Amino acid sequence: MKVLFVTSEVAGLYKRGGLADVSYSLPVALEKRGIHVAIAMPYYQSIKGHSVSCIGQLAIDYDRRRELMFIFETRLPGTDVPVYLFRHPLLHEYDGPDIVERFGFFAKAVAQLYLYSSGLLGGPYDIVHCNDWHTALVPLLLGEASKVGYRERETIESRTTRTILTVHNLLYQGEAGSSITLKLGFPKTLFHAFMTPLGRAVRLLTEGFEYADMVTTVSPTYAQEIMKGMHGKRVREVFHRRGDKIVGILNGIDTNLWSPSDDAALPVQYTHATVVSAKQKIKEQLQSAVRLPQVNVPLFGFVGRFESRQKGLDLIARAVKTLPPETYQIVLLGTGQKKLVGEFQKLSEMHENISYVNTFDERLARRIYAGSDIMLVPSKFEPCGLTQMIAMRYGTLPLVRKTGGLADSVRDGLTGFVFGPYSTAALVTKMQEAISVYAKQPRKFSTMMKNAMKEDFSWSHQVQEYINLYRKLF
Ligand code: GLC
């Protein structure tokens, strides 16, 4: 079985969020199971310091011009997994104007190279596995290209190739004006355009839902939420029309990269046998590093993007004003939207028990995972979430809202704390419960810590679900 994994970000090369972690750890786990896997991604200018070689070039018709794309090959850092990097000025930066159209161009390049000379990419492959809106046009371009005379040859490799699209977050759908279809050189009729106040538009993610042989998402609960229409009626409608439903497979984490027993960022390493005393030391060092007083109250941690739609930071901002400051401390790490950043900077200046660090610093993140007692993940929605899994691996109890992958990975009262409604009151009540277990039932708290550390969030089980799915497609 051979799989080409197409993605916009991969940890070790270019990372923005959880997608990059999964785009690293899933291919590595597949490779360990004997699946031949390679990765295709854009060659951003910031990808530097890796040994790469140019293996070919490709002409692509785009926006009525002929564009030349260079293909480079490297290895996934620390592994033997091949990575094919697509180099073109339109793909030098990830962010910037016309982002949706630029990723449409990337998808066209992947599909065209695959159709004309998949050997260059180490193919042909049995499965082309795409991720999120950035790569969601690949199934359309691979599958429909032949029917619209885009390719003349009779033997079409894509017919023996199956496509999978995994959605990591429905919040981002890749919406563009319908002129993108002209730029790509494909008939409008292939796309499911709709009206917006600014004119006709298409969404790359939903085109992927229409055309991929199989659509998956990153937890069973998020899949159910999608089928219930909780993340948009239009999306649910596509699956009804397909007579199909979206499959949910919980993500894993790379337990070699996240391992308290040999994490060099920590002042002491530990296992579940030594967690209680080790944590105490790490917590004290963390408190002084982030300028929190050295007192014995539970320390809450938050590591993540500072954005207002998903992560529940609005609830945190209100909750911290409600709880008595002498009963707990909180340390937050991450960058993002100006308004939220400003709000937490102010909170941190005004309250002795609140510390906000406005950077992204992986070493500090690791010390927060290990040195906090409780990790806050009160997301409004969360397709999977990796922080709660990392926290449990480090013996830190996650306090999460019951949604998506958080609901599938944290057990209330056993491995963490789970609350229901998205409200400040519900969060405050759960935080009070956690504070009280910490203060009044230390034995229960440390049993929960050990339970959490014993949970297995490695890919070892979950990867088999992907392999079964790949097989099911033939
Ligand atoms: C996105 C989602 C997150 C998920 C990650 C990896 O970042 O928001 O919930 O864990 O992708 O699939």
Side-chain angles (χ1 to χ4, degrees):
M1 176 82 67
K2 289 181 73 168
V3 179
L4 182 66
F5 196 87
V6 191
T7 180
S8 57
E9 52 182 288
V10 178
L13 293 166
Y14 182 83
K15 175 168 168 172
R16 299 178 69 84
L19 170 60
D21 294 309
V22 173
S23 299
Y24 183 99
S25 56
L26 176 56
V28 170
L30 288 166
E31 179 83 17
K32 276 197 192 130
R33 288 295 172 96
I35 304 283
H36 175 91
V37 54
I39 298 171
M41 72 177 289
Y43 194 171
Y44 307 114
Q45 259 177 334
S46 63
I47 300 180
K48 287 196 176 114
H50 303 272
S51 138
V52 296
S53 49
C54 185
I55 55 166
Q57 63 188 50
L58 160 82
I60 305 158
D61 290 328
Y62 178 73
D63 201 8
R64 298 187 200 92
R65 288 189 307 270
R66 181 146 284 199
E67 301 285 348
L68 205 57
M69 173 86 81
F70 290 91
I71 315 297
F72 290 76
E73 185 178 352
T74 186
R75 301 275 138 172
L76 194 57
T79 77
D80 279 337
V81 175
V83 182
Y84 299 103
L85 297 164
F86 286 59
R87 186 75 157 187
H88 186 279
L90 285 174
L91 302 172
H92 278 175
E93 306 290 333
Y94 176 107
D95 276 319
D98 300 333
I99 176 170
V100 178
E101 294 178 359
R102 289 185 293 106
F103 276 103
F105 171 67
F106 170 63
K108 182 167 182 183
V110 172
Q112 193 161 320
L113 185 60
Y114 189 86
L115 288 166
Y116 283 99
S117 48
S118 71
L120 200 63
L121 291 180
Y125 289 88
D126 303 297
I127 304 280
V128 174
H129 190 153
C130 305
N131 294 276
D132 276 352
W133 68 264
H134 313 77
T135 61
L137 278 189
V138 173
L140 184 160
L141 303 180
L142 277 183
E144 297 299 305
S146 55
K147 296 185 198 154
V148 295
Y150 171 60
R151 182 185 152 96
E152 298 96 39
R153 281 218 315 252
E154 265 306 299
T155 47
I156 292 159
E157 273 160 7
S158 64
R159 281 195 194 138
T160 56
T161 297
R162 301 287 185 267
T163 54
I164 291 193
L165 172 65
T166 296
V167 53
H168 297 259
N169 199 338
L170 263 182
L171 184 60
Y172 309 102
Q173 303 202 356
E175 188 171 313
S178 64
S179 62
I180 186 176
T181 64
L182 289 174
K183 289 190 176 171
L184 290 168
F186 275 83
K188 272 197 234 154
T189 47
L190 284 179
F191 292 79
H192 302 73
F194 53 91
M195 276 314 282
T196 71
L198 297 174
R200 288 175 78 73
V202 295
R203 287 198 183 114
L204 305 201
L205 187 69
T206 37
E207 296 304 336
F209 290 167
E210 300 275 1
Y211 288 98
D213 290 309
M214 169 86 68
V215 183
T216 76
T217 188
V218 289
S219 72
T221 297
Y222 193 61
Q224 281 167 19
E225 291 171 3
I226 292 172
M227 290 313 295
K228 282 187 199 147
M230 285 163 70
H231 301 289
K233 288 200 185 84
R234 200 193 298 268
V235 170
R236 184 184 54 174
E237 184 210 293
V238 178
F239 292 100
H240 278 292
R241 187 149 25 82
R242 280 179 62 132
D244 198 357
K245 41 181 205 274
I246 185 165
V247 176
I249 301 178
L250 194 68
N251 282 333
I253 54 170
D254 187 323
T255 47
N256 292 322
L257 292 181
W258 297 106
S259 167
S261 60
D262 54 14
D263 190 328
L266 307 181
V268 267
Q269 287 68 38
Y270 59 94
T271 64
H272 68 272
T274 52
V275 56
V276 178
S277 60
K279 237 175 193 302
Q280 192 54 38
K281 274 195 207 125
I282 301 168
K283 180 174 172 181
E284 281 162 18
Q285 285 209 1
L286 176 63
Q287 283 170 322
S288 69
V290 300
R291 301 210 174 86
L292 285 170
Q294 303 252 331
V295 287
N296 185 22
V297 291
L299 174 58
F300 289 86
F302 175 92
V303 175
R305 258 178 296 139
F306 275 61
E307 60 77 58
S308 54
R309 288 190 286 180
Q310 180 179 352
K311 297 291 175 187
L313 281 155
D314 51 336
L315 294 192
I316 297 182
R318 288 196 291 267
V320 294
K321 289 182 203 146
T322 316
L323 290 159
E326 66 285 0
T327 60
Y328 77 100
Q329 294 178 335
I330 179 165
V331 53
L332 306 104
L333 172 70
T335 57
Q337 290 167 5
K338 250 194 188 153
K339 194 167 163 258
L340 268 175
V341 164
E343 190 173 352
F344 278 92
Q345 272 167 340
K346 230 193 226 152
L347 281 170
S348 165
E349 279 156 26
M350 280 164 51
H351 303 273
E352 220 190 18
N353 65 323
I354 302 176
S355 173
Y356 168 45
V357 187
N358 175 24
T359 63
F360 194 77
D361 172 345
E362 168 135 0
R363 278 180 77 81
L364 183 56
R366 287 173 178 275
R367 288 159 69 197
I368 293 176
Y369 280 122
S372 307
D373 299 295
I374 300 146
M375 203 71 182
L376 280 183
V377 199
S379 307
K380 194 172 218 165
F381 61 90
E382 196 62 74
C384 178
L386 303 173
T387 40
Q388 80 280 11
M389 297 184 186
I390 298 169
M392 285 186 268
R393 176 108 176 112
Y394 282 73
T396 302
L397 299 180
L399 192 158
V400 306
R401 197 174 90 74
K402 196 175 171 63
T403 180
L406 301 173
D408 293 331
S409 55
V410 184
R411 295 185 288 152
D412 189 36
L414 293 172
T415 59
F417 301 94
V418 184
F419 70 100
Y422 188 77
S423 71
T424 310
L427 173 62
V428 167
T429 307
K430 214 53 192 180
M431 285 175 79
Q432 276 165 337
E433 182 187 320
I435 294 169
S436 147
V437 177
Y438 179 91
K440 299 193 186 118
Q441 297 171 274
R443 243 210 224 140
K444 176 172 175 190
F445 200 91
S446 56
T447 307
M448 285 173 71
M449 280 161 63
K450 288 176 189 167
N451 289 344
M453 284 187 88
K454 286 185 196 152
E455 296 280 74
D456 182 3
F457 292 112
S458 71
W459 274 106
S460 58
H461 304 294
Q462 306 306 101
V463 74
Q464 192 56 44
E465 294 206 34
Y466 276 106
I467 296 173
N468 295 345
L469 211 67
Y470 294 159
R471 296 214 173 104
K472 221 169 103 183
L473 286 173
F474 289 94

